[in-house]
Amino acid sequence: MDIKKVHIVIPIVMAGIIGYLGTKIMDIKKVHIVIPIVMAGIIGYFGTEIMDIKKVHILIPIVMAGIIGYLGTKIMDIKEVHILIPIVMAGIIGYLGQTDLNEAFSVLPSIPHISRPSSQPVRQVDLDETSLVISRQTDLNEAFSVLPRMSYPQPFVDKPQRTDVLLMSPWLAPIMWEGTFNRDILNAQYRQKKFVVGVATFAVKKYVRFIEGFLGSANKFFLSGHRVNFYLFTDHPEKVPSMKLAPEKSLFIIPVQNYSRWQDISMNRMDIISNRIRTHWHYEVDYLYSMDIDVQMFEHIGVEIIDTLVGTISSWQYTKPRDSNSYERRPESRAAIPSGEGDFYYAASFYGGSVSEVYKLTTACFKGVTEDRANGIEAKWHEESHLNKYLLYHKPTRLLSPEYYWDEELPRPQIIRVKRLSSVRKDLEEVRS
Ligand code: UDP
Ligand code: MN
């Protein structure tokens, strides 16, 4: 049952009874003051107990009921009024109880729908800025506006949401785990910002077969209800299936050349993303995420992923000691991480952040790739090795747990409570040939 509805229904029924008793059964006029006051007190009390409604919900109905009773006995002598007025008043009480005045009387701003890349700058990000994500004028109205009232369990400092996983990195970046955040609070906060998020993904050669599964599931589970532009790079635009996306989601298909080696396709993503940020995306989106196409989403991936610089902890290596995971250790490579160093092993399949931070990341990583090429070396796990080096020295501000990229081949341990995104099983030799 939706508890909030009860605050409309119960007062109306009760007020009907009050009025009826007042006019038909009892002929003692004082009852018109006492009964509504008691009833309204009860209504107000339940309002505070169940719904975290402020004390005003006890006072307002009591005062109103007092007026109703007073009018009933002193001024008006028409008995029907004792049914109608309390019903109307109780309706108002109930309505106030279930919604917030700001919310009730404000109209949500409509969000313009972008259907193609616009040549007009939507917003501009200073690509060289280091501290601020987006330059924005402070809107005083926004700063002092009151959030819609929400009901949720109180947090307590001595009651951690989970004790079986690390919730914070040593540099105080939160790690996202199921059971540690309230999606409704995050959504309400995020909605005030009117951000646009871009997703860069590639489907080159045989990987076009993954487009439908990726987009179909992302349309449903990726930042559900929020604006997202999907940027799909492909050498086969004609093979992109026509799909109906949610109104707040847009798909942009961008032709791209293919490379004979799959490693080059994968590595060149960094270069293509960095160039596209410079020419387009810093006008079009606030945050940008790069994702593999050979994945599907099974659970919500929401605004908890939004932060300045975001890395995903690999599902293969999340418990391995730093010296036994897959970092590039050969000092000749620009991706080299000296032994004894390393935080987490990050997956290149899913990373992101503010447009300016992703620009710095992709530019730096591709510079490493280019220098390695010139030196005749290729890092162990290609651009993923360069990403790991970058994120070691530019700490992510937020980390996604392996829930956000769970490899389909792995059995799921208890600490992975949900599988939000998973790679699609593929015959590596066949699909990369
Ligand atoms: N990719 C592609 N065509 C290819 C190889 C790779 O489009 O022939 C893109 C695709 O977006 C893919 C990503 O590069 O998701 C990374 O490659 P892959 O998924 O094969 O790497 P893995 O996840 O197996 O390490
Ligand atoms: Mn992949």
Side-chain angles (χ1 to χ4, degrees), residues 292 294 405 426:
D292 269 15
D294 61 330
Y405 189 83
K426 58 187 192 286

Side-chain angles (χ1 to χ4, degrees), residues 207 269 291-295 349 405 423-424 426 432:
Y207 281 61
R269 290 188 292 174
M291 299 176 91
D292 269 15
I293 194 89
D294 61 330
V295 299
S349 307
Y405 189 83
S423 50
V424 178
K426 58 187 192 286
R432 286 171 177 170

